[in-house]
């Protein structure tokens, strides 16, 4: 008999990575406030995403999950949201056109605030401070007061998520994402680059194809799929109090959904089988993900699949591997093998970012573009060897012209990192590197399958 589940049953398990709120009454007050707010997403939308992910699990579609490592309260603007969406749409067009399969688009957006940390303290210069845990908890400024967890930040994160989601819905349904505008998504600083030129050539082909359809008498105006896209939201379900406060019962099915985002995932540091994060997410109806790092054993992955998706529902569970470029092929193959043999219909996605982070001599955390490509390449080889579908990628990017990851056609070096290093957490691909990556991924997968 399965143990019973409620939105608060996680509270009897050990919850790693929770902030120590100094004022528990203030925390409970903030959570009560959020519990009274409207849901951010609807159960039916989460079910649509799950149906699309089922297509990915079956090898008929590809998942592109992308956005900030940590969204920022300070960098919150329409521009910022639009530029990120623009890059995601461009990457999706490149992948769709080159691979010939639908691309399921999921943003690390509208809620991706909370950060797990390797250590509760960090050293900044001579100062030892409590770690920054994302703007939903504390502030990044290097002083002790800024690092005190403030529960009102959860309320602010809710409101920022609502505004972000509102704009995403407007952009994706209101004409901005129209395939007839595929060329207009190129930003100036991208247009002149080699990957920008490649994109311009591809978008010209798409425009010709649309002209051709119209010349054949097809009324392209009437196909909403040419004018609108679905972009879903996701984040790491780290702060379980916040997630519980947004968990609501769907009136249609009676099922509980975490209405803070369409998809939630469990991070590498919180995936203990008897831990609170697995307990919480096993009971919600949303499609869910779990990161799997290089220490994961086949036995563990099978237990995880059993815990999170005992009914083997296709699209319910996405396993996001983050092994490191040099380990991925060997570490992943036994996992693919075991999951395939057990018949679990999972989506396999590759996070090529978190296993390839290093600190440059100037102290900046960075990732090299070629290591990111190498990890995806090893991921694809592992799938080819096991006869499974390399279902998607999970990446950290921004639409801006930042200098956070080295390499790419600009050949950014670690000396360039100080120019425009703007992330509040992990280093992100800039718009040009992201577009370049989409072309490289499409080639890797096309060549392999
Ligand atoms: C992240 O996705 O930003 C993250 C912290 O990843 P992981 O849990 O894989 O380390
Ligand atoms: Co990150």
């Amino acid at each position: 008999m399965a143990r019973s589940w409620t939105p608060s049953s996680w509270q009897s398990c050990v919850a790693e990575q929770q902030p120590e709120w100094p004022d528990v009454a203030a925390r409970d007050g903030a959570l009560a406030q959020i519990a009274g707010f409207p849901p951010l997403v609807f159960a039916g939308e989460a079910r649509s995403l799950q149906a699309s992910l089922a297509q990915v699990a079956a090898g008929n579609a590809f998942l592109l999950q992308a956005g900030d490592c940590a969204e920022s309260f300070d960098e919150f603007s329409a521009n910022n949201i639009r530029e990120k969406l623009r890059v995601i749409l461009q990457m999706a067009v490149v992948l769709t056109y080159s691979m010939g399969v639908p691309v399921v688009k999921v943003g690390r957006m509208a809620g991706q605030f909370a950060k797990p940390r390797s250590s509760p303290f960090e050293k900044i210069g001579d100062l030892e401070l409590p770690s920054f845990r994302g703007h939903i908890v504390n502030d990044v400024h290097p002083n002790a007061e800024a690092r005190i967890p403030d529960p009102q930040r959860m309320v602010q994160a809710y409101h920022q998520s609502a505004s972000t989601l509102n704009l995403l819905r407007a952009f994706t349904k209101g004409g901005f994402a129209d395939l007839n505008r595929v060329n207009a998504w190129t930003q100036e600083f991208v247009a002149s680059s080699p990957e920008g030129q490649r994109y311009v050539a591809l978008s010209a082909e798409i425009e010709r194809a649309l002209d051709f359809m119209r010349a054949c008498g097809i009324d392209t105006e009437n196909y909403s799929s040419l004018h609108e896209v679905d972009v879903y939201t996701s984040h790491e379900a780290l702060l379980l109090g916040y997630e519980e406060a947004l968990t609501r019962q769907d009136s249609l099915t009676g099922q509980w959904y975490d209405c803070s985002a369409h998809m939630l995932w469990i991070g590498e540091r919180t995936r203990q089988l008897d831990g609170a994060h697995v307990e919480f997410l096993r009971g919600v109806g949303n499609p869910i993900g779990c990161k799997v790092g290089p220490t994961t054993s086949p036995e563990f992955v099978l237990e995880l699949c059993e815990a999170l998706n005992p009914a083997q529902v296709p699209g319910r569970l996405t396993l996001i591997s983050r092994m490191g470029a040099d380990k991925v092929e060997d570490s992943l193959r036994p996992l693919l093998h075991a999951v395939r043999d057990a018949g679990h219909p999972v989506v396999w996605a590759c996070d090529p970012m978190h296993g390839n982070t290093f600190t440059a001599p100037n102290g900046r955390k960075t990732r090299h573009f070629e290591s990111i490509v190498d990890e995806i390449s090893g991921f694809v080889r592992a799938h080819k060897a096991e006869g499974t579908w390399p279902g998607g990628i999970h990446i950290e990017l921004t639409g801006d012209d930042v200098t956070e990851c080295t390499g790419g056609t600009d050949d950014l070096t670690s000396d360039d990192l100080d120019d425009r290093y703007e992330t509040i957490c992990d280093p992100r691909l800039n718009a040009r590197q992201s577009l370049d990556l989409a072309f490289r991924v499409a080639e890797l997968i096309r060549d392999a399958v």
Side-chain angles (χ1 to χ4, degrees):
M1 250 277 295
R3 284 167 297 142
S4 65
W5 181 94
T6 68
S8 61
S9 56
W10 63 270
Q11 293 186 15
S12 55
C13 305
V14 175
E16 300 287 347
Q17 299 281 345
Q18 304 305 292
E20 283 185 27
W21 305 101
D23 181 345
V24 171
R27 176 201 66 189
D28 291 348
L31 291 177
Q33 225 180 326
I34 294 166
F37 290 160
L40 291 170
V41 304
F42 301 107
E45 298 174 318
R47 282 193 286 271
S48 301
L49 171 58
Q50 185 155 300
S52 296
L53 290 170
Q55 288 302 311
V56 179
N60 302 323
F62 192 76
L63 168 65
L64 171 62
Q65 190 169 14
D68 275 312
C69 178
E71 286 174 281
S72 160
F73 284 179
D74 304 325
E75 299 292 317
F76 171 44
S77 68
N79 259 356
N80 188 296
I81 297 162
R82 190 185 55 233
E83 297 315 312
K84 211 161 290 150
L85 175 65
R86 215 199 274 264
V87 179
I88 293 174
L89 293 178
Q90 282 190 303
M91 292 182 77
V93 159
V94 168
L95 292 164
T96 310
Y97 194 79
S98 313
M99 291 166 52
V101 295
V103 172
V104 182
K105 297 167 274 295
V106 182
R108 286 178 63 118
M109 286 174 89
Q112 175 45 38
F113 291 103
K115 297 313 299 174
R117 303 317 303 252
S118 308
S119 159
F121 292 95
E122 63 188 313
K123 230 173 147 115
I124 299 177
D126 290 338
L127 271 179
E128 186 168 73
L129 292 169
S131 293
F132 171 57
R133 292 184 175 273
H135 274 162
I136 193 170
V137 176
N138 57 7
D139 195 60
V140 72
H141 285 112
N143 63 69
E145 198 183 337
R147 298 299 173 92
I148 299 170
D150 173 1
Q152 275 307 308
R153 286 179 167 270
M154 290 193 281
V155 176
Q156 190 174 341
Y158 168 89
H159 289 301
Q160 182 164 325
S161 301
S163 305
T164 303
L165 194 50
N166 181 50
L167 205 57
L168 275 180
R169 292 190 201 279
F171 280 139
T172 52
K173 307 293 177 192
F176 180 82
D178 194 314
L179 209 49
N180 289 297
R181 297 184 70 257
V182 66
N183 213 348
W185 299 337
T186 315
Q187 301 181 70
E188 255 169 50
F189 73 91
V190 175
S192 57
S193 66
E195 51 279 359
Q197 290 300 308
R198 223 174 148 185
Y199 181 79
V200 168
L202 183 143
S203 58
E205 281 181 41
I206 292 174
E207 281 171 4
R208 265 200 307 279
L210 289 170
D211 284 344
F212 174 74
M213 286 163 70
R214 282 187 281 267
C216 291
I218 297 167
D219 183 3
T220 58
E221 279 306 303
N222 278 335
Y223 287 91
S224 64
S225 57
L226 297 175
H227 309 296
E228 297 178 356
V229 295
D230 291 321
V231 174
Y232 295 99
T233 61
S234 70
H235 61 258
E236 178 174 348
L238 186 73
L239 290 194
L240 293 175
Y242 178 84
E243 302 301 336
E244 180 189 336
L246 282 163
T247 297
R248 313 290 163 85
Q249 197 162 20
D250 174 32
S251 55
L252 220 57
T253 61
Q255 166 74 273
W256 292 93
Y257 282 83
D258 181 348
C259 297
S260 70
H262 299 108
M263 178 182 182
L264 288 314
W265 77 85
I266 304 173
E268 174 69 359
R269 291 163 192 78
T270 50
R271 57 176 168 75
Q272 301 77 19
L273 285 168
D274 56 356
H277 293 80
V278 168
E279 172 58 22
F280 176 71
L281 281 188
R282 81 179 174 91
V284 297
N286 311 57
I288 58 180
C290 187
K291 294 286 193 87
V292 290
T295 58
T296 317
S297 68
E299 296 71 34
F300 174 85
V301 171
L302 291 182
E303 285 188 66
L304 194 67
C305 291
E306 258 324 294
L308 295 174
N309 190 18
Q312 305 200 344
V313 179
R316 154 80 172 160
L317 179 60
T318 297
L319 294 176
I320 307 160
S321 71
R322 32 90 83 221
M323 303 291 184
D326 51 342
K327 299 195 199 77
V328 59
E329 200 173 348
D330 292 343
S331 307
L332 190 56
R333 280 191 59 179
L335 309 186
L336 300 180
H337 194 102
V339 172
R340 183 199 63 202
D341 281 1
H344 278 288
V346 305
V347 170
W348 282 106
C350 175
D351 167 357
M353 315 297 291
H354 291 88
N356 297 304
T357 316
F358 65 96
T359 304
N362 62 1
R364 294 289 196 189
K365 238 203 301 183
T366 190
R367 294 153 173 164
H368 198 279
F369 182 79
E370 285 308 323
S371 311
I372 292 168
V373 174
D374 282 351
E375 175 140 6
I376 300 173
S377 176
F379 170 82
V380 172
R381 280 196 306 278
H383 280 279
K384 189 176 165 74
E386 297 299 333
T388 45
W389 172 237
I393 54 171
H394 179 119
I395 55 177
E396 292 179 342
L397 57 70
T398 165
D400 300 327
D401 190 15
V402 301
T403 55
E404 298 171 8
C405 291
T406 56
T409 53
D410 261 353
D411 207 14
L412 291 179
T413 68
S414 47
D415 292 336
D416 298 317
L417 294 176
D418 279 337
D419 289 354
R420 290 177 304 284
Y421 194 94
E422 294 169 9
T423 182
I424 54 168
C425 198
D426 289 341
R428 305 160 296 177
L429 295 170
N430 65 30
R432 290 182 44 181
Q433 291 168 326
S434 302
L435 195 52
D436 195 3
L437 186 69
F439 281 110
R440 303 280 291 268
V441 170
E443 279 161 13
L444 283 171
I445 293 184
R446 225 174 26 202
D447 292 349
V449 295

